Amino acid sequence: MNTQRPDSKQAARRQFLLDMAKTACGVGMFGLGLGLYARQAHALPPAAIRPPGALPEPDFQGACIRCGMCVRDCPYNILELARPEDDLATGTPYFVARKIPCEMCEDIPCIKACPTGALDHQLTDINKAKMGLAALVDQETCLNFLGLRCDVCYRVCPVIDKAITLERVHNFRTGKHTMFLPTVHSEHCTGCGKCEKSCVLEVAAIKVLPFLLAKGELGKHYQLGWEEKKKAGESLVAPEIEHQYNLPEGFKYEQGPGLSGEAVAPPAAQPGAPQALHGDKL
Amino acid sequence: MSADKKMGADAVMAKGWLGAHKWLLLRRISQIGILALFLLGPLAGIWIVKGNLAYSLTLDTLPLSDPYVLLQSMLARHMPEKLALIGAAIVIGFYALAGGRAYCAWVCPVNMVTDFAAWLRRLFSIKSGARFSRMTRYWILAMTLVLALASGTIAWEMLNPVSMLHRGLIFGLGTAWTIILAVFLFDLFVSPDGWCGHLCPVGACYSLIGKTSLVRVNAAKRDACNDCMDCFVVCPEPQVIKPALKGAAKGLGPVITSANCTNCGRCIDVCSKEVFGFGLRFNHKADNNAPQGHATALGNRP
């Protein structure tokens, strides 16, 4: 090297720098492409549900090393590892509720198998899992919304009467029936997907969606008056004005029990009048 | 090597076919055997090893994890559980002794693909090839680490052909075969030893782990070299051979010290003069001209 003339040394250095720049640019562009591609998989596709205890999506993709231990230790073979053609990060575990939902094992073997904590080892009570959130997304086809007593999603729910309740609402169509509307309560829903799997329709009316997609959020400054009243033990707007009902003699209306008093004479069915409003003042 | 003479023919003549393919066969047994252990569970229900090369649990007790993917995960600001860290420590310890890139030659399933491409290149005398720096893999290694840090995800795993092939074979390949085919065609037509020797950051990481590894190939009997060049032709990292084989005049020892050597042992196989052998790093340090006989014999899993 020291026998070389200075200009050839300079040329060698120039070549070295150019080669470095070439490699750095090439690798940099490759990295940029890979980074953008990886960003696309940030959002979980709605049909793919992560196993219980999975960290929120971007964190999960930093924690999961795609080893498939959770897949192996799932006793019901529910989990799969995403393949390159799938919409979620390659190699990460998921299940599709409509195909096969989570059985909610009490000992949660998938979490125990996870070597990295991508499935959070803090979660020891499967009923506290938040794999997703069920949402009755289509009221037009849900049989219970049509006035029937399907109730299947409610019956199969492992957290029945907490995660899904049947809310009774008057059936205005028939005027004389009650509709039992399946209602999901996010506090208790684990996102296991049993409801979606068992929905009797061709396409499920109730679906488990990623939590962020299914759940709304009130404005931080919102206060629910009735909650505040309960907390305070008294009305926060004083004095509370009691509503005066204009009712016929001997009738009384109370919130909750409704109308009471003398035998309610059913108003003669007036054609055209909404039947649903019987007993009320028209 | 003259054009009409087949590479390795001398070795076959001198040592017999089996003798000239000993390390290659052992390597294939190791690669296929490890894959078979992983497949025994899902295919036959015999659970000796669970998981894949990213993390595995053998006989429900021995954890082994890939330090490279774990490092990316930690750079993405996630602390793995204890078992994964123990697994990484075991793997780092093993390859720090056995030669980092022994992973590439003896374990990695992509090696069989790229070896096949290299074999076809020799068979059809495909000389074409884009030449670029073998340092590129270290740039890519650095890039993937920066990407993990910047994105908070293990972005490289979206594309990594190594984990994709191994995971695919065990858990279902899907369209991952296209990426493997791309690696194969790249090695076959675009660049010789293109993937493993130039681009793969997994191998680059194992190179760094095994930088001072104990087990090394040496050219102990380099005086017997007849300049047939077969070792240079067969070696996936030919630049590592020269200092050890031809460095006597410069006072260099016969041990191949480059971390890029994959300890594949093909040079040992193809040499008709039995110049090469496995040995320890500090063997033959001083003896330039008088090799002290054979290097320490080693088992089939260096």
Side-chain angles (χ1 to χ4, degrees):
Chain A
M1 267 310 219
N2 43 15
T3 57
Q4 284 178 329
R5 279 171 293 121
D7 56 333
S8 83
K9 221 174 181 180
Q10 209 174 13
R13 190 192 302 142
R14 188 183 151 82
Q15 190 57 45
F16 173 74
L17 287 173
L18 279 174
D19 283 348
M20 290 275 277
K22 191 175 80 176
T23 311
C25 284
V27 172
M29 273 168 71
F30 175 45
L32 184 69
L34 184 61
L36 291 174
Y37 172 54
R39 276 211 74 77
Q40 286 198 328
H42 254 193
L44 201 55
I49 312 292
R50 293 282 186 213
L55 302 175
E57 196 48 25
D59 295 346
F60 184 80
Q61 285 184 36
C64 174
I65 58 170
R66 290 84 159 147
C67 68
M69 291 300 284
C70 52
V71 176
R72 287 293 174 242
D73 280 10
C74 173
Y76 300 96
N77 284 328
I78 286 158
L79 297 171
E80 271 185 79
L81 294 185
R83 297 170 186 196
E85 65 270 31
D86 295 329
D87 280 339
L88 63 171
T90 308
T92 54
Y94 73 102
F95 67 95
V96 176
R98 187 64 167 168
K99 268 204 272 177
I100 175 165
C102 174
E103 292 290 337
M104 286 175 62
C105 310
E106 269 179 30
D107 52 345
I108 332 182
C110 50
I111 293 186
K112 283 190 184 146
C114 179
T116 65
L119 306 181
D120 192 352
H121 288 226
Q122 303 288 321
L123 182 73
T124 49
D125 178 3
I126 189 65
N127 287 312
K128 297 218 167 73
K130 288 270 171 274
M131 293 171 261
L133 178 58
L136 206 155
V137 290
D138 191 13
Q139 304 184 352
E140 290 177 347
T141 52
C142 172
L143 296 183
N144 275 34
F145 268 85
L146 295 175
L148 282 77
R149 287 300 300 274
C150 163
D151 296 1
V152 170
C153 55
Y154 164 76
R155 297 277 167 215
V156 298
C157 178
V159 203
I160 186 169
D161 282 324
K162 282 185 185 157
I164 301 185
T165 56
L166 293 178
E167 298 298 313
R168 282 172 295 177
V169 170
H170 183 63
N171 186 339
F172 288 98
R173 182 175 58 80
T174 64
K176 55 191 167 192
H177 295 102
T178 303
M179 296 194 294
F180 293 74
L181 306 183
T183 307
V184 178
H185 302 277
S186 59
E187 190 191 341
H188 297 289
C189 175
T190 64
C192 73
K194 286 252 163 159
C195 51
E196 181 178 345
K197 165 71 182 167
S198 60
C199 179
V200 301
L201 302 182
E202 290 287 312
V203 177
I206 190 164
K207 290 187 167 83
V208 175
L209 299 173
F211 211 82
L212 283 173
L213 210 59
K215 184 73 183 149
E217 191 179 334
L218 290 170
K220 292 268 187 296
H221 61 290
Y222 279 34
Q223 290 183 315
L224 304 176
W226 54 95
E227 298 285 346
E228 297 301 320
K229 184 177 162 186
K230 214 190 289 176
K231 262 190 258 166
E234 55 176 346
S235 172
L236 297 171
V237 191
E240 194 171 16
I241 303 155
E242 197 166 321
H243 185 75
Q244 298 295 319
Y245 294 96
N246 290 318
L247 297 167
E249 203 76 26
F251 285 94
K252 199 173 148 215
Y253 184 83
E254 267 181 282
Q255 186 135 29
L259 200 63
S260 61
E262 285 173 20
V264 181
Q270 293 166 11
Q275 295 170 326
L277 298 178
H278 70 91
D280 207 341
K281 231 175 82 89
L282 288 173
Chain B
M1 185 179 84
S2 60
D4 54 340
K5 197 198 80 179
K6 209 167 152 270
M7 188 273 305
D10 288 351
V12 174
M13 275 235 279
K15 305 191 279 188
W17 191 89
L18 216 58
H21 294 85
K22 186 174 95 182
W23 291 104
L24 179 67
L25 289 174
L26 288 173
R27 227 150 47 76
R28 291 290 178 258
I29 290 170
S30 165
Q31 289 165 334
I32 294 169
I34 289 170
L35 198 57
L37 279 178
F38 277 101
L39 282 169
L40 215 51
L43 295 186
I46 303 165
W47 293 103
I48 296 168
V49 187
K50 264 189 217 169
N52 60 35
L53 286 180
Y55 174 84
S56 66
L57 198 58
T58 306
L59 295 171
D60 278 326
T61 42
L62 175 70
L64 295 172
S65 28
D66 177 16
Y68 174 45
V69 74
L70 224 55
L71 176 64
Q72 291 174 77
S73 178
M74 283 155 87
L75 286 172
R77 291 171 291 285
H78 177 79
M79 195 60 198
E81 296 285 324
K82 206 164 60 192
L83 221 49
L85 294 173
I86 294 171
I90 294 172
V91 167
I92 290 173
F94 177 79
Y95 287 109
L97 292 177
R101 292 201 63 203
Y103 174 88
C104 303
W106 294 78
V107 178
C108 181
V110 176
N111 177 268
M112 286 188 270
V113 177
T114 55
D115 268 4
F116 183 48
W119 181 76
L120 286 177
R121 272 188 88 89
R122 287 196 297 272
L123 189 67
F124 296 114
S125 301
I126 303 171
K127 300 278 179 227
S128 71
R131 311 260 163 189
F132 53 101
S133 170
R134 284 182 182 266
M135 287 299 283
T136 310
R137 52 187 146 184
Y138 294 102
W139 285 84
I140 292 180
L141 174 65
M143 179 271 286
T144 59
L145 297 180
V146 169
L147 206 57
L149 189 68
S151 70
T153 69
I154 308 175
W156 172 242
E157 280 304 303
M158 305 281 290
L159 206 63
N160 186 358
V162 176
S163 57
M164 223 173 253
L165 177 59
H166 192 256
R167 187 174 53 232
L169 290 172
I170 299 167
F171 289 91
L173 202 55
T175 52
W177 65 269
T178 56
I179 291 171
I180 305 308
L181 182 67
V183 167
F184 173 74
L185 294 176
F186 182 74
D187 266 34
L188 183 58
F189 294 119
V190 182
S191 177
D193 303 316
W195 175 255
C196 300
H198 294 73
L199 296 176
C200 179
V202 183
C205 185
Y206 277 105
S207 276
L208 296 178
I209 290 171
K211 211 165 166 49
T212 59
S213 75
L214 208 56
V215 179
R216 291 276 121 190
V217 174
N218 60 60
K221 292 201 268 175
R222 57 186 172 185
D223 291 343
C225 173
N226 63 355
D227 293 332
C228 74
M229 299 299 278
D230 279 0
C231 56
F232 286 98
V233 173
V234 80
C235 180
E237 305 276 349
Q239 78 283 3
V240 309
I241 295 179
K242 200 180 167 194
L245 187 62
K246 299 289 164 197
K250 286 182 190 165
L252 297 171
V255 177
I256 295 177
T257 51
S258 167
N260 288 333
C261 171
T262 66
N263 278 3
C264 70
R266 279 299 275 149
C267 54
I268 307 174
D269 279 347
V270 299
C271 183
S272 59
K273 301 291 173 196
E274 304 203 45
V275 166
F276 298 96
F278 275 116
L280 298 180
R281 174 174 212 89
F282 23 76
N283 275 4
H284 316 284
K285 210 60 189 264
D287 59 320
N288 285 338
N289 298 314
Q292 306 166 334
H294 282 283
T296 316
L298 285 158
N300 58 1
R301 291 284 311 278

